[in-house]
Amino acid sequence: MSEPVRHASPARFGLTEPRSEEVLRGLGLWADRRPTEGSEAVMSALSRCPDPDLALRGLERLQAVADWDALSAALHEDVVVRGRLLAVLGSSTALSDFLVANPGRWRSLTDGVDVSLELANGDVLRTEYRAKLLLVAANDLAHVVEPELLYVPYDTVAAQLSDLAVSALKASLKLAAERVNGADRCRLAVIAMGKCGANELNYVSDVDVVFVAEGDLGVATRLASTMMQIAGQSCFEVDAALRPEGKAGALVRTLDGHASYYKKWARTWEFQALLKARPVAGDAELGQAYLDVVRPYVWTAAERENFVEDVQAMRRRVEDHVPTGLAERELKLGRGGLRDVEFAVQLLQLVHGRSDEDLRIQATTAALAALGQGGYVGREDAAEFGRSYRFLRTLEHRLQLQRLLRTHLFPADDDATTLRWLARSAGLSADGQKSEGQVLLAEFRKHANQVRRLHEKLFYRPLLQSVAGVPTEALRLTTKEAVARLAALGYMSADGALRHIQALTHGMSRRARIQGALLPVLLDLFAGTPDPDGGLLAYRKVSEALAETPWYLRLLRDEGAVVERLAVLLGTSRFVPDLLVRAPEVLRLLADTEALVGGDPHSIGKPLRSAVSRYGDAARAIAAARSLRRHEMLRIAAADLLGFMPLETVCVSLSEVWGSVLQSALDAAVRASGEPVAALSVIGMGRLGGHELGYGSDADVMFVCRPHEGVSDAEAVKWASGVVEKIRRLLGAPSQDPPLQVDADLRPEGRQGPLVRTLDSYRAYYRQWAELWEKQALLRARFIAGDAALGADFEELIEPLRYPAAGLDAVSVREIRRIKARVDAERLPRGADPGTHTKLGRGGLADVEWTVQLLQLQHSGAVPGLRTPSTMAAMGAAVEAGLLAAEDAAALTTAWNLATQARNAVMLVKGKASDQLPTSGRDLVAVASVMGYEPGGDPGEFLEEYRRTTRRARAVAERVFYGEKP
């Protein structure tokens, strides 16, 4: 019991009307500026009412008509009566009116909630229905006024209201049968639809029904019509507009009539409505037969053409009909309203419930829980959606209770009085910074935003359209019929594919359920790739490797783009899967094209170097560099395979990644070597130097050092050689990642020469011994890591060698041509097809690059634009200087780009480097697909295009490089 209050004002208890003290005195609750002795509990309860003034007015009205002594005693002594009565009086003027009109009904507030109605006539039905509604409401609201009383969850209240409606329908049908002559000449079943069918009815709502009958349909129609009239006059409107053909159709149909309609004429929304169908009154056997007839249509509706789009369009139409000024306040139909939840849940049920009978549930909250349990919706998403739905439905209930009117409109922001009342009726209180109304506004907006966010995430999920497009029988993945379907889809080993499916979907775990939802879609997606069997096998390996990664399947389920893109990657490439299990975080990037492509490729190395710099131990630092390289290579490969990254960006990105790895490894090795005694730089050569690296390219480099002051050249070289050996050893250690081979064979004296030289040693060697091929190799030399000043000095040192001021004499030109001819004759692997060898074949990379390099050696002394390690940049400069015809440059450029891209494609498809294009089989199909050809087309077209393009390039090389006349 509350402590006595001395010298108080009624305002202390939330009472604001001038007559409050007078009324309280008249009720015996107030005297001498404080509650009367023993009335403290009543006054405290009154203060917690949603509207204390409204509750006090209700007590005053009851005093005039009821047995006040008995009622007053119950208020003082019975916490259940006190909580229930004051809660009703402070929440609902309509129920207050009912109590005043029926003053003895307050005594029922001590009863349990029994909603059954056994009645003799319509007048009694009206009174008894309202009395039962009073009891449900009192039980629902009582905990607000008396917190010690049991809180009744929304789901329970909605079920009680539904049961009450069903009881009223049964009573109305019974009364109708007494009025309609010949009622025994027909069988009639009443099918509840909508919220009543789903057991989630409001306080004030039409009750949607459908009638099915056998026998005399004329009598059945009169019986149904009379039942609707009785219920409408006594309890609620009965709406039969969901019947076949709506209001224009017959009120009553036979079972066969319903079956015929739903088979031939029903629209998408009608199947959605049938999801809630439940027999509630009349002939139970006929009602069950109706369900048996219509349910198969419900659970195959998702196969209808444009089903998902139709449901989505219907939701948009409903939303468009909400008046603009009320859209943000409309609890039911507006953005973030109840319909957002219901449409999303029903769509998910109709799509996935075809194969999962656990989803065939009518109530929204229960269905949402089943979707979460089954993995079709994230657990947290399901929980948040459910919480928000219950909150919004509770507000709807409270608003309807106020006057027992059908309303779904949230109060305006400036309606402080209604906001305060609604907040208190929903159990919200001020928090010290915000009033009750402000707290309610914040909660309402939070939940509405939450609902809209989740609605858009789930309702417009691309995966839904994909799943809906799979025939129902194909969703049963482990049947014998699945083998035939897999073979029809193009799987070479349908039995093997079925074993993969069984392994992924075995058991009743949530993971297996999610896989069961994903796989029908993935099987179709893999079927559209060059290697469906390989894609499914790779998917199984990836899924098993990432089985304990909590977000993996959730990402695939929630992000349709990820599923589609992953299928392309796994069904095309053997390079991607092994990287993916070691860098799964890249999967997240598949949902965001911009993030997958990345920013400036020249900036890739900065985060890598920054991350690696945190490690003091060289082995750990290089392991971190490997990990980051793995991430970047997978990102680049994925963007490339999906067609989002142009060739130049691919090559620059791969080159920058290699350069960053070398810089990071060098930094780590230097930190681990003690006090440095020399500056050390890495010079990129070949494709690395030209920013033209491919997926399978080694890093061609040279190392140059410069001793610190007071350090001898020998000491500097010894220290630098130790650092370089450590780098090569750690980078070249066996690993599951693509190899990290550091190739220094282009250094002076090749493999016989020292691994590291001082700058002066390079100067002396090149002055005396440099051969023509070495000068040619230096055309692509570029500082990439280590000491930048030393790197710049090295580039300055080699400038006269690679860009000779006088160009080349005739003897040197002949020598370069001789070397190239020897390479053509001796380096092409035995059995290789010179027409499809990307590097040494006719019109391949070597032909293009040697042609450009000859022009550089001949003319770079006079043409500054030729002084670049980039093949394409040098080609452009040669055209601009008039050294190469534009059409010849176009032929060479096209061939170089095609050969480079094809070489990369072979690595991506086969998972290992090769310069030879496949000429048949699935590898050729996959390479052609990567090159932009449709997987279902003729891959021979790609080979023909390749041969045509390289033949043209070869003709240019023969004229420009070899000097042959056309």
Side-chain angles (χ1 to χ4, degrees), residues 22 52 96 115 120 136 257 502 521 554 633 648 724 738 791 804 855 870:
E22 176 189 341
S96 294
V115 295
V136 173
Q502 289 168 336
V521 177
R554 183 170 68 241
M633 286 196 75
E648 181 183 1
V724 170
L855 293 173
S870 166

Side-chain angles (χ1 to χ4, degrees), residues 658 685 687-688 693-700 739-743:
W658 239 125
M685 305 289 287
R687 294 190 172 281
L688 177 60
L693 215 59
Y695 294 103
S697 303
D698 292 340
D700 291 316
L740 277 161
Q741 297 299 327
V742 178
D743 189 341

Side-chain angles (χ1 to χ4, degrees), residues 105-125:
R105 291 286 182 171
W106 69 265
R107 296 181 186 275
S108 69
L109 297 179
T110 60
D111 300 337
V113 181
D114 177 6
V115 295
S116 59
L117 295 167
E118 297 293 338
L119 307 165
N121 59 66
D123 291 336
V124 174
L125 176 58

Side-chain angles (χ1 to χ4, degrees), residues 806-818:
L808 292 183
D809 56 26
V811 173
S812 297
V813 171
R814 283 196 300 273
E815 175 63 9
I816 285 181
R817 289 170 175 165
R818 184 192 68 78

